[in-house]
Structure formats: structure tokens, C-alpha cells
């Protein structure tokens, strides 16, 4: 396994000297010798206890948690209704671990690839690999053959588990990667000769392994890589994000404490359509297994099936991204289902506009919490989150356990105070180890003092609540003004004839860039009748001069987004370029 072994000062968590809004005073000096105002660093509380729970590896940690929960139902397949208890998942994981050891020679530190939609075999591969101390590389099953080759070359898996959805592309890509020694296919049919092995055939030599007696090798949890997640790749080819075993344990500890603040009469039942190969989905799955929640899982979003699962299983918590919240807020089909069980909506992966949250609350008045969080693959999961009561609409919450945050001026690196906009930087127990095989990208993202530079623009207020404005690279430069696309998009989504919208900047010789809106019309007469001029006027009446649609409006059937809900602005820029070239 070829990891970036460049020595870096290990970060042992923030000092236990301030909770949110307990501002420090004075200055201190960084490792680089530059003075930095410590009162402009916002610290979350320290972890209440050892995040490892006394375990010497993530495998031991996961085994301990699954044993504690035993016969309780952990996962429900929302398509087929199949259920799996915590103990069943542990026993299946132990069996798979032994087969990996016997059949493929997998040892502690080897990499196992995983290409699959959300299905019950997915967590079994995770658990089995962790029991061995192997690293898992979940990979986006919608990748092309070229993208699979790139992803495999990042993580160098010896064995790849995959589903039929991506079978042809995985097999073709694996043929170009000599380090892949074994392919294991989920399902009952194998159309390939002499290549992949069906999962049941792979498991056949071992009928049962007692997880209590399975030997688990201790590791250095702060250095040993548990997951290699592919970055979203919205600005180029994905990078391999290395998350350590301690990162995963810290995420479970944080989620456990946040969940304890949620008041529910019965058990927590989450509905998850987030892809498990994405960091948000994968860590949410692992946290469910570690802190005794129940998850109803779907492989993809289908409106009838999604709403039907809420009604059938009484889901009280929804793990969502902004497009799903927008669907719940505006789609007419929602009124045909009983969603009275929904208590909490958790939204991440991309900013949720305040206006969209207000529309959802009007549509589903029984929802008590609409919680936003902020995280990125490089931060394991959410490091900012709206827990408890009393958060402000539009914020992404406060600093979570084990994390420090500062906002800096991108040009000078100077730490900024409340209400000053700049780049969000993070330090703490959830910061990744680095990008696999890419020391240059790692050092560009994590500075010598351990601060991870997110590339996101935001600010915090006097109460310590944070707000994400936009991406540094996505800000539109109009006549010297920095215009956040998300702000204009939020205005557009309040228009009754607009179902969805995205804004980009198009080049202009005089102004630099002009804000251009791509708009998806709402279904029905209102959507069909609305004109571009009306939408331009609508924004003009609600936004300052720089934030108006000087580049106009283009109607589109759907906004291109990746599976985590982030707008693929590259595709929109290309569409705009082609359209302008034809003029």
C-alpha cells in the first residue's frame, strides 16, 4: 500500500480551554512564527472521553459496538424489506474477514476496493475489512471505465467487491490494473468467464467464524488508514482522501453526543438514500452501526419509493441533501403520503438556502428540526452542526467536539473576526491524514500548523454560529464585487414557477463576469408560462445591483449535480460557452 509517509506533526485534539463563544484573548505564535489572534479561533468542546473506548484498533471498536447492540435491527433494505441485525452483520463480517485472509491473502494494511450501490453486502465488506485491519476504498459506481482506472490507481486495491450495476466497467478497468488480484461480484448471476467470483462462491470455504474468537491485530489508530474516499471531483479528477481509524472513531463519538440531544419518544429510524460510497453516506452508515440507530436504506432516490419508506417504516429522521429537501418542499406528490412521523431533517453535502428551509417547514409543520451541517470528505463528516435547539435559519451550526475553526483572509492568511467573510480553516480529530500518493496536494491543503484549508467561503456571528457563503473558486467577479452564486440561487428558489436553479459567471470584457441563471421550471401552468424576463425582474427586485442576473436566464430540464447534490458548474459553464459561441 503506497501512502504518503511524509512526516507531519500529529494533532491530538484542541486544548480544553474554550467552548463555542468563550473567546480567548491576546495572540500566540504559530509553528511558522507568524502571530495569530487566538480570540479569532473558535473551539468546540473537547471529547468527553477516549474516542477509542479503550480499543486498540477500529476492528476491535466495531466488534465491541456491534456486540453491544446484538439482536436489534440495524439496517432495512427499503426496496426488498430485508432486515439485518447488528449481530448478523458482525457474524457475516467475521466470515468475510476469514475468507479474505484465506482466499486472497489480505493482511493488515492491504486495500480492499468496494464498488456498489446501497445494499446489505456493503457494510459486511466494511466490517470484514476493518476486522482484518485492511483499508477500504469505496468508489463511485457511476464512474466511467477511465474514472475507475484513475480511482483504482489512487488506492491500489488487491481485491475489489462490486455489484452488477457497474460490472462491465469495473472488469474492464481492473484488467488495466495489475495490482488487482481478485474480483468478487455481488448477486446470483456471473456473466464473466474466468474472471470475477460470485460472493457466495468466495465465502463457500468458510461456513462460520465466531467473531468473539477472531484475532484482531492492534494498530496505531492515529496513523492507520481505515478509508480512502474519493473527493467529489467537481473541479477535476478526484483525489484519494485518507481517513484514519481515529478519524472514524472521532466521528462516531461526535454523532453519539449530537444524537443524545434529539428528543424522540421511540427509537431513531433514519431514511438514507445518500450513496454509501460518498463520505457523508459511508460515515453515516458506520455511525449508525456504532451508536445503535436504525437505518432504512435505498440505493437511489425514487420519489414513490422514498415517500413510501417514510410512511411504511415510520422514519423520523431523514438524511438528505438540498435537492431532496427541495423535493419535499415543492413537489405535489408529497401530499399523497403520510409523513407525520418525520421529526428531524438533516441536510448536508451542499448549502441549504434559508428560503428552502422555510418552504419545507410550511409544507411539513410537524418537523421540529431542520438541521444543517458542514463537512467535507477531508473532514470525515460534519465538523459544524446544528444540534440542540435555537439555531438560526441559514447557519450550518456551531463547532463540534474536538474541532477548532478560524476564518482567514485568502490573500493574507490573517484570521478574521465575527461577520468577516473569508476561507474556513479547520483543525482537530476529524482532519484527514492527507491525499494518498499526493504530497503536494496534501501540503497545499493542510498547512504546517495542522490547519486544513477548505476552499469554502463563510463567516461566524457573535454567537458562534457559522454560515457558508460559497466556494472560493465559484465566486463570480462582477465589476470588482465578489458575488456568491448560492445567494442568487436562494432568491430564485422562492419563485413559485422555479423548481430548481443554479447560477454561474460568464466572461464579459467590461464587467469581468456576469451572473447567468440556469432555471428548471416548476411543473404546471405557472412554470410553463414564466419567461426569462420575469425571472430577471424577480431577482432585480430582491438583490443588490451586483447580484442581479446581468447574464440572463437559460431554461434547462435539470440542473447537473453529482450524487451528493453539488452543482456541476463545469458542465453549466460548458453549456453557456457553447450557447454563446452560436450567437
Amino acid at each position: 500500500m503506497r501512502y504518503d509517509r511524509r512526516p507531519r506533526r500529529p494533532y491530538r485534539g484542541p486544548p480544553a480551554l474554550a467552548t463555542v463563544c468563550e473567546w480567548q484573548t491576546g495572540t500566540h505564535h504559530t509553528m511558522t512564527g507568524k502571530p495569530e489572534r487566538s480570540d479569532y479561533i473558535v473551539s468546540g468542546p473537547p471529547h468527553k472521553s477516549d474516542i477509542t473506548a479503550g480499543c486498540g484498533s477500529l476492528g476491535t471498536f466495531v466488534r465491541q459496538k456491534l456486540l453491544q447492540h446484538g439482536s436489534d435491527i440495524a439496517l432495512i433494505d427499503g426496496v426488498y424489506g430485508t432486515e439485518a441485525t447488528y449481530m448478523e452483520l458482525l457474524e457475516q463480517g467475521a466470515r468475510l474477514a476469514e475468507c479474505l485472509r484465506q482466499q486472497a491473502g489480505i493482511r493488515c494494511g492491504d486495500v480492499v476496493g468496494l464498488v456498489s450501490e446501497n445494499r446489505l453486502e456493503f457494510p459486511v465488506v466494511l466490517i470484514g475489512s476493518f476486522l482484518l485491519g485492511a483499508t477500504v476504498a469505496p468508489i463511485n459506481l457511476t464512474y466511467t471505465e477511465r474514472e475507475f482506472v484513475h480511482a483504482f490507481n489512487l488506492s491500489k486495491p488487491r481485491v475489489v467487491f462490486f455489484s452488477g450495476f457497474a460490472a462491465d466497467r469495473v472488469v474492464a478497468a481492473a484488467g488495466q490494473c495489475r495490482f488487482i488480484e481478485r474480483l468478487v461480484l455481488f448477486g446470483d448471476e456471473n456473466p464473466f468467464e474466468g474472471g470475477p467470483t460470485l460472493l457466495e462462491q468466495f465465502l463457500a470455504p468458510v461456513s462460520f467464524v465466531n467473531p468473539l474468537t477472531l484475532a484482531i491485530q492492534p494498530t496505531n489508530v492515529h496513523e492507520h488508514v481505515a478509508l480512502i474516499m474519493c473527493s467529489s471531483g467537481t473541479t477535476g479528477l478526484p483525489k484519494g482522501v485518507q481517513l484514519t481509524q481515529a478519524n472514524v472513531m472521532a466521528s462516531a463519538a461526535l454523532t453519539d453526543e449530537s444524537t443524545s440531544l434529539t428528543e424522540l419518544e421511540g427509537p431513531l429510524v433514519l431514511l438514507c438514500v445518500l450513496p454509501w460510497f460518498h463520505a457523508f453516506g459511508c460515515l453515516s452508515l458506520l455511525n449508525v452501526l456504532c451508536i445503535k440507530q436504525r437505518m432504512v436504506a435505498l440505493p437511489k432516490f425514487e420519489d414513490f419509493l422514498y415517500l413510501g419508506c417514510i410512511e411504511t417504516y415510520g422514519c423520523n429522521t431523514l438524511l438528505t441533501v438540498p435537492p431532496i429537501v427541495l423535493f419535499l418542499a415543492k413537489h405535489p406528490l408529497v401530499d399523497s403520503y403520510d409523513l407525520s412521523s418525520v421529526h428531524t431533517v438533516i441536510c448536508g453535502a451542499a448549502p441549504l438556502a434559508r428560503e428552502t428551509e422555510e418552504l419545507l417547514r410550511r409544507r411539513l409543520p410537524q418537523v421540529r428540526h431542520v438541521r444543517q451541517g458542514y463537512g467535507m470528505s477531508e473532514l470525515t463528516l460534519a465538523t459544524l452542526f446544528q444540534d440542540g435547539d435555537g439555531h438560526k435559519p441559514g447557519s450550518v451550526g456551531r463547532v463540534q467536539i474536538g474541532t477548532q475553526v478560524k476564518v482567514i483572509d485568502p490573500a493574507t492568511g490573517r484570521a478574521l473576526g465575527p461577520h468577516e467573510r473569508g476561507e474556513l480553516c479547520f483543525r482537530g480529530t476529524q482532519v484527514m491524514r492527507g491525499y494518498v500518493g499526493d504530497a503536494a496536494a496534501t501540503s497545499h491543503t493542510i498547512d504546517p500548523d495542522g490547519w486544513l484549508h477548505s476552499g469554502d467561503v463563510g463567516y461566524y456571528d457573535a454567537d458562534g454560529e457559522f454560515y457558508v457563503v460559497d466556494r472560493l473558486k465559484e465566486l463570480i467577479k462582477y465589476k470588482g464585487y465578489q458575488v456568491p452564486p448560492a445567494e442568487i440561487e436562494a432568491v430564485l428558489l422562492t419563485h413559485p414557477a422555479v423548481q430548481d436553479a443554479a447560477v454561474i459567471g460568464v466572461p464579459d470584457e467590461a464587467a469581468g463576469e456576469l451572473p447567468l441563471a440556469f432555471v428548471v421550471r416548476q411543473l404546471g401552468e405557472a412554470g410553463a408560462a414564466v419567461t426569462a424576463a420575469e425571472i430577471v425582474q424577480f431577482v432585480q427586485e430582491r438583490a443588490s445591483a451586483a447580484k442581479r442576473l446581468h447574464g440572463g436566464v437559460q431554461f434547462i430540464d435539470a440542473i447537473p449535480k453529482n450524487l451528493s447534490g453539488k452543482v456541476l458548474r463545469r458542465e453549466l459553464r460548458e453549456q453557456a460557452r457553447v450557447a454563446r459561441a452560436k450567437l
Side-chain angles (χ1 to χ4, degrees):
M1 186 167 53
R2 301 176 185 176
Y3 291 134
D4 170 22
R5 295 295 184 185
R6 184 174 64 86
R8 179 164 64 87
R9 180 173 66 103
Y11 185 69
R12 303 303 182 190
L17 41 79
T19 57
V20 171
C21 305
E22 292 177 334
W23 311 110
Q24 305 170 49
T25 59
T27 62
H28 72 281
H29 285 75
T30 67
M31 289 176 63
T32 56
K34 296 178 180 179
E36 183 172 80
R37 287 194 58 168
S38 56
D39 54 332
Y40 287 168
I41 295 176
V42 188
S43 297
H47 290 284
K48 290 185 175 179
S49 58
D50 177 13
I51 61 172
T52 70
C55 298
S57 71
L58 180 59
T60 304
F61 181 86
V62 169
R63 178 173 64 180
Q64 176 178 296
K65 296 297 183 181
L66 294 174
L67 284 171
Q68 288 174 357
H69 309 328
S71 59
D72 290 323
I73 295 171
L75 295 174
I76 301 173
D77 185 314
V79 177
Y80 301 104
T82 312
E83 299 177 347
T85 67
Y86 293 96
M87 194 64 191
E88 288 170 341
L89 291 173
L90 178 58
E91 290 175 350
Q92 292 171 22
R95 182 187 179 198
L96 184 135
E98 188 59 32
C99 288
L100 280 171
R101 198 194 321 262
Q102 291 184 15
Q103 302 276 83
I106 298 298
R107 298 292 185 266
C108 185
D110 288 337
V111 180
V112 173
L114 180 52
V115 184
S116 173
E117 68 276 19
N118 297 358
R119 53 191 294 162
L120 296 185
E121 293 92 340
F122 197 110
V124 173
V125 173
L126 288 175
I127 294 165
S129 301
F130 293 159
L131 292 174
L132 282 181
T135 299
V136 182
I139 299 171
N140 188 332
L141 81 165
T142 69
Y143 277 175
T144 63
E145 179 183 328
R146 178 186 67 87
E147 290 169 318
F148 275 124
V149 171
H150 172 74
F152 290 151
N153 278 316
L154 285 175
S155 55
K156 302 286 193 297
R158 292 182 58 197
V159 178
V160 177
F161 292 86
F162 64 106
S163 73
F165 182 90
D168 291 338
R169 287 165 284 133
V170 168
V171 172
Q176 303 172 53
C177 303
R178 294 185 179 181
F179 46 80
I180 297 178
E181 302 167 7
R182 195 75 181 262
L183 294 175
V184 182
L185 175 63
F186 297 153
D188 301 322
E189 298 181 1
N190 187 355
F192 305 97
E193 294 183 5
T197 303
L198 285 176
L199 178 61
E200 284 307 312
Q201 295 172 335
F202 181 74
L203 296 173
V206 177
S207 58
F208 176 77
V209 173
N210 186 344
L212 291 172
T213 59
L214 185 73
I216 300 177
Q217 183 175 330
T219 63
N220 180 342
V221 298
H222 296 283
E223 294 293 327
H224 195 96
V225 177
L227 295 166
I228 299 176
M229 308 299 303
C230 286
S231 62
S232 58
T234 54
T235 57
L237 284 172
K239 294 185 283 291
V241 177
Q242 298 178 103
L243 300 180
T244 66
Q245 294 187 348
N247 289 151
V248 176
M249 294 174 178
S251 176
L254 188 157
T255 305
D256 193 14
E257 176 141 327
S258 297
T259 302
S260 67
L261 299 174
T262 302
E263 298 178 2
L264 289 174
E265 294 181 0
L268 193 67
V269 183
L270 299 97
L271 177 59
C272 178
V273 71
L274 309 173
W276 289 340
F277 57 73
H278 184 270
F280 188 4
C282 187
L283 271 299
S284 296
L285 168 64
L286 290 172
N287 289 341
V288 162
L289 298 179
C290 290
I291 65 174
K292 196 179 179 181
Q293 299 174 345
R294 180 177 299 175
M295 177 180 283
V296 180
L298 290 172
K300 63 179 180 178
F301 180 80
E302 295 179 280
D303 48 16
F304 291 95
L305 191 56
Y306 187 83
L307 296 171
C309 280
I310 298 174
E311 186 174 85
T312 300
Y313 298 107
C315 300
N316 47 40
T317 304
L318 309 181
L319 293 177
T320 69
V321 290
I324 295 177
V325 179
L326 193 60
F327 164 81
L328 293 170
K330 302 192 82 167
H331 201 285
L333 185 62
V334 172
D335 295 328
S336 302
Y337 289 81
D338 179 7
L339 306 188
S340 59
S341 62
V342 179
H343 176 281
T344 300
V345 176
I346 298 173
C347 186
L352 178 68
R354 177 186 308 185
E355 292 80 1
T356 305
E357 177 180 336
E358 292 170 351
L359 288 171
L360 176 70
R361 288 184 180 278
R362 287 201 292 269
R363 185 75 172 282
L364 301 176
Q366 85 283 0
V367 172
R368 180 175 175 184
H369 302 294
V370 180
R371 300 198 189 280
Q372 280 205 77
Y374 171 87
M376 52 195 300
S377 301
E378 291 85 344
L379 291 171
T380 310
L381 195 58
T383 49
L384 301 170
F385 191 66
Q386 297 173 336
D387 52 14
D389 293 313
H391 61 262
K392 301 169 186 175
S395 87
V396 292
R398 296 185 172 89
V399 187
Q400 294 299 291
I401 301 169
T403 299
Q404 293 180 309
V405 189
K406 65 178 179 178
V407 179
I408 67 168
D409 182 327
T412 65
R414 179 176 61 89
L416 304 175
H419 299 286
E420 294 185 278
R421 296 186 178 193
E423 183 182 14
L424 297 171
C425 298
F426 298 84
R427 186 166 65 180
T429 55
Q430 289 191 214
V431 172
M432 68 169 179
R433 178 178 168 184
Y435 296 114
V436 62
D438 197 337
T442 299
S443 60
H444 178 74
T445 304
I446 302 176
D447 68 26
D449 297 305
W451 288 102
L452 183 142
H453 295 247
S454 70
D456 285 315
V457 179
Y459 65 95
Y460 60 94
D461 63 20
D463 297 317
E465 292 206 47
F466 279 78
Y467 303 79
V468 177
V469 178
D470 229 308
R471 293 285 297 170
L472 273 177
K473 294 180 180 179
E474 292 174 358
L475 291 175
I476 299 168
K477 306 294 179 61
Y478 174 77
K479 293 185 177 180
Y481 292 95
Q482 292 189 334
V483 178
E487 191 172 336
I488 307 175
E489 290 162 0
V491 174
L492 287 166
L493 291 175
T494 64
H495 195 294
V498 174
Q499 180 181 330
D500 202 356
V503 176
I504 64 168
V506 293
D508 180 78
E509 186 174 352
E513 289 182 305
L514 302 176
L516 164 67
F518 286 85
V519 170
V520 179
R521 289 184 171 102
Q522 184 64 276
L523 299 175
E525 294 181 5
V530 71
T531 66
E534 289 172 352
I535 291 177
V536 169
Q537 181 64 29
F538 181 83
V539 174
Q540 182 172 325
E541 294 170 354
R542 292 163 175 79
S544 59
K547 299 171 185 175
R548 295 169 185 168
L549 297 175
H550 303 285
V553 171
Q554 289 186 25
F555 291 107
I556 192 172
D557 292 334
I559 302 297
K561 298 176 182 178
N562 67 13
L563 291 176
S564 64
K566 293 180 181 177
V567 175
L568 298 176
R569 298 186 196 273
R570 285 182 301 164
E571 294 186 15
L572 293 178
R573 291 190 186 99
E574 180 60 19
Q575 288 187 41
R577 186 192 66 78
V578 171
R580 289 166 70 88
K582 293 179 179 179
L583 296 177

